[in-house]
Amino acid sequence: MFTCVIVSVFTLLVLPTANASPNGAPTAACGSMTPQHGYEPQTSASPFKAEIPVGEYVLMDDPVQLELRASAGATFKGFLIMAFDKDEDTKPIGTFTEPVDGQLLNCTGGFTNAVTHTNNTEKSLVKIKWQPPLYYMGTAVFRTTFVQNSTTYWVKTESIGVSFVMEIPSSASQSSTTWAGLIALLLALLIQ
Ligand SMILES: *[C@@H]1O[C@H](CO)[C@@H](O)[C@H](O)[C@H]1NC(C)=O
Ligand SMILES: *[C@@H]1O[C@H](CO)[C@@H](O)[C@H](O)[C@H]1NC(C)=O
Ligand SMILES: *[C@@H]1O[C@H](CO)[C@@H](O)[C@H](O)[C@H]1NC(C)=O
């Protein structure tokens, strides 16, 4: 009983000043994607984001490479990422796979459907791979909670949507070809 009281007082004293969970987010944080340390999330634009180098179209069943990046000069200590269907966004979808720059979590009864950090070193780039559900042809978005330090964090920062398709739309590749053509032309003109 007495030990109990001491433990709770200790917890109360320590928790608010504790740093981003040093060993990663516990599964208890899966639902809200919010660190349980009593500080309010930031409402400003996040200096951190999940980028998808391949762009907004991916072939059905292909894995997606993700990069969690910090803007110049910033670093984050902790993160928690999950994927959701854009139109039906209550349950995480798909699975994150090895190799992963962090640890795989089983959230809300699922299987390796989230990734969190393994330590609280300062990070500016974390690489992650995600596999969509079999035959999935919707649009997925990635939501990431980034913890900068013990008091400053951004919850559910959203990525661009990634649509899974049978064929990459020609408009997607054409527009980049057009831009590449224009840039090449400009460069050629500049060099002359
Ligand atoms: C800490 O985490 C980073 C990013 O996940 C990882 O690259 C690094 O190897 C880890 N460091 C240690 C000491 O475990
Ligand atoms: C996730 O679930 C699988 C299968 O039930 C289990 O083998 C694995 O250890 C779990 N991973 C974690 C991090 O709990
Ligand atoms: C956390 O980071 C913010 C933004 O850089 C900074 O203003 C704040 O002082 C830092 N807090 C701690 C406890 O390091």
Side-chain angles (χ1 to χ4, degrees):
M1 174 64 163
F2 189 59
T3 335
C4 232
V5 172
I6 290 174
V7 169
S8 337
V9 169
F10 182 73
T11 313
L12 283 176
L13 287 177
V14 170
L15 271 189
T17 52
N19 224 322
S21 315
N23 309 314
T27 50
C30 287
S32 63
M33 295 189 76
T34 301
Q36 315 287 304
H37 54 34
Y39 290 96
E40 290 298 314
Q42 299 296 306
T43 50
S44 58
S46 169
F48 314 110
K49 61 180 173 180
E51 290 187 348
I52 297 135
V54 75
E56 59 184 312
Y57 292 101
V58 172
L59 288 178
M60 185 181 79
D61 294 341
D62 271 5
V64 180
Q65 296 289 345
L66 299 153
E67 295 179 354
L68 306 186
R69 285 188 177 274
S71 60
T75 55
F76 55 96
K77 290 183 170 176
F79 65 88
L80 175 64
I81 181 169
M82 285 183 231
F84 295 87
D85 182 278
K86 200 167 183 285
D87 301 316
E88 199 192 308
D89 64 358
T90 50
K91 265 187 76 170
I93 59 167
T95 51
F96 292 93
T97 59
E98 303 276 4
V100 64
D101 207 359
Q103 58 183 317
L104 303 172
L105 277 186
N106 300 338
C107 270
T108 56
F111 176 68
T112 66
N113 54 4
V115 184
T116 188
H117 52 287
T118 50
N119 61 57
N120 60 7
T121 57
E122 304 207 332
K123 308 166 210 358
S124 54
L125 172 63
V126 166
K127 293 187 177 180
I128 289 174
K129 191 165 141 187
W130 181 78
Q131 187 67 44
L134 195 63
Y135 308 134
Y136 176 71
M137 287 192 66
T139 298
V141 292
F142 296 88
R143 297 207 182 111
T144 317
T145 290
F146 287 99
V147 178
Q148 182 166 29
N149 60 34
S150 54
T151 55
T152 308
Y153 63 95
W154 284 261
V155 169
K156 298 183 184 173
T157 299
E158 196 159 296
S159 73
I160 61 162
V162 183
S163 299
F164 289 83
V165 292
M166 297 293 280
E167 210 177 310
I168 304 295
S170 56
S171 60
S173 42
Q174 251 169 26
S175 62
S176 55
T177 323
T178 314
W179 277 110
L182 275 177
I183 290 164
L185 184 66
L186 274 174
L187 282 177
L189 288 173
L190 281 175
I191 286 164
Q192 276 179 356

